[in-house]
Amino acid sequence: GQQVMQIPQYQHVQEGEDFTTYCNSSTTLSNIQWYKQRPGGHPVFLIQLVKSGEVKKQKRLTFQFGEAKKNSSLHITATQTTDVGTYFCSSYNFNKFYFGSGTKLNVKP
Amino acid sequence: SAVISQKPSRDICQRGTSLTIQCQVDSQVTMMFWYRQQPGQSLTLIATANQGSEATYESGFVIDKFPISRPNLTFSTLTVSNMSPEDSSIYLCSVADGDYGYTFGSGTRLTVV
């Protein structure tokens, strides 16, 4: 069945370095959402992308949806310790949810 | 965005017993979802709770084990029945929240001993 693959599983960066997580699907996605989950917390919605090639920015975060709508990325510029957490991508297609496995980001001060 | 109150936040239960988790939303929502998340893992959808009809369960989850109620458009419960240590997990409810994607409750951390 359809899966959303997310890489990397873990990323350790020095504060100030950039960070990127990627989601890939073997089939076309109608949409993709990104969530952040702080340690001990619950997933918090960040953004939804629906258009081919769409790019959205939230301060230091840049979200992209591929032209073929089969991949997406989340890029954080100049990470801060407040960025620590696990970032999940998710897609809702044909009445089913598909969650990526998440990328756990650790930022060293 | 919608605000969800999920209770209890955590519980330690004896095997063989049942626990009911509640989610109250501050607005009417059509679709509510129940997830399970093992620590450090991704989310697994248990079922979709529909108001006025039976819940729709995902593969691997059955109504006898995880009965769900959805009496109105702002409230739902998930019961974890006849618990075993393998049911120890974090359980989360979620609602479709329009432009805000999907909003999650704060979760219930369940430990079965």
Side-chain angles (χ1 to χ4, degrees), chain B residues 4-41:
Chain B
I4 302 175
S5 173
Q6 183 172 345
K7 297 177 182 179
S9 59
R10 59 179 63 231
D11 207 342
I12 301 173
C13 301
Q14 296 290 324
R15 66 179 68 199
T17 63
S18 298
L19 175 71
T20 296
I21 303 167
Q22 301 180 358
C23 274
Q24 177 75 52
V25 191
D26 69 342
S27 57
Q28 293 186 339
V29 292
T30 305
M31 302 175 77
M32 291 184 73
F33 308 92
W34 288 97
Y35 289 88
R36 184 169 70 184
Q37 185 180 32
Q38 302 284 359
Q41 303 295 314

Side-chain angles (χ1 to χ4, degrees), chain B residues 36-39 85-91 108-112:
Chain B
R36 184 169 70 184
Q37 185 180 32
Q38 302 284 359
E86 292 70 36
D87 295 319
S88 297
S89 189
I90 299 167
Y91 293 85
T108 297
R109 185 178 294 268
L110 171 62
T111 302
V112 183

Side-chain angles (χ1 to χ4, degrees), chain A residues 92-105:
Chain A
Y92 185 66
N93 289 278
F94 307 108
N95 296 321
K96 291 188 80 70
F97 281 99
Y98 301 92
F99 272 87
S101 54
T103 297
K104 188 174 183 179
L105 172 64

Side-chain angles (χ1 to χ4, degrees), chain B residues 1 3-4 13 19 26 46 49 57 62 65 67-68 74 79 81 93 96 100 102-103 108 111-113:
Chain B
S1 63
V3 176
I4 302 175
C13 301
L19 175 71
D26 69 342
I46 298 171
Y57 288 84
V62 295
K65 177 66 175 177
I68 287 172
T74 65
T79 299
S81 303
C93 62
Y100 299 99
Y102 294 86
T103 297
T108 297
T111 302
V112 183
V113 297

Side-chain angles (χ1 to χ4, degrees), chain B residues 36-111:
Chain B
R36 184 169 70 184
Q37 185 180 32
Q38 302 284 359
Q41 303 295 314
S42 188
L43 291 90
T44 301
L45 181 64
I46 298 171
T48 302
N50 309 302
Q51 195 270 331
S53 64
E54 279 198 1
T56 305
Y57 288 84
E58 297 299 305
S59 176
F61 298 96
V62 295
I63 188 171
D64 290 345
K65 177 66 175 177
F66 298 99
I68 287 172
S69 77
R70 183 84 199 273
N72 56 55
L73 292 174
T74 65
F75 187 78
S76 180
T77 66
L78 168 76
T79 299
V80 186
S81 303
N82 188 24
M83 288 183 285
S84 67
E86 292 70 36
D87 295 319
S88 297
S89 189
I90 299 167
Y91 293 85
L92 296 134
C93 62
S94 174
V95 301
D97 203 4
D99 292 340
Y100 299 99
Y102 294 86
T103 297
F104 286 82
S106 53
T108 297
R109 185 178 294 268
L110 171 62
T111 302

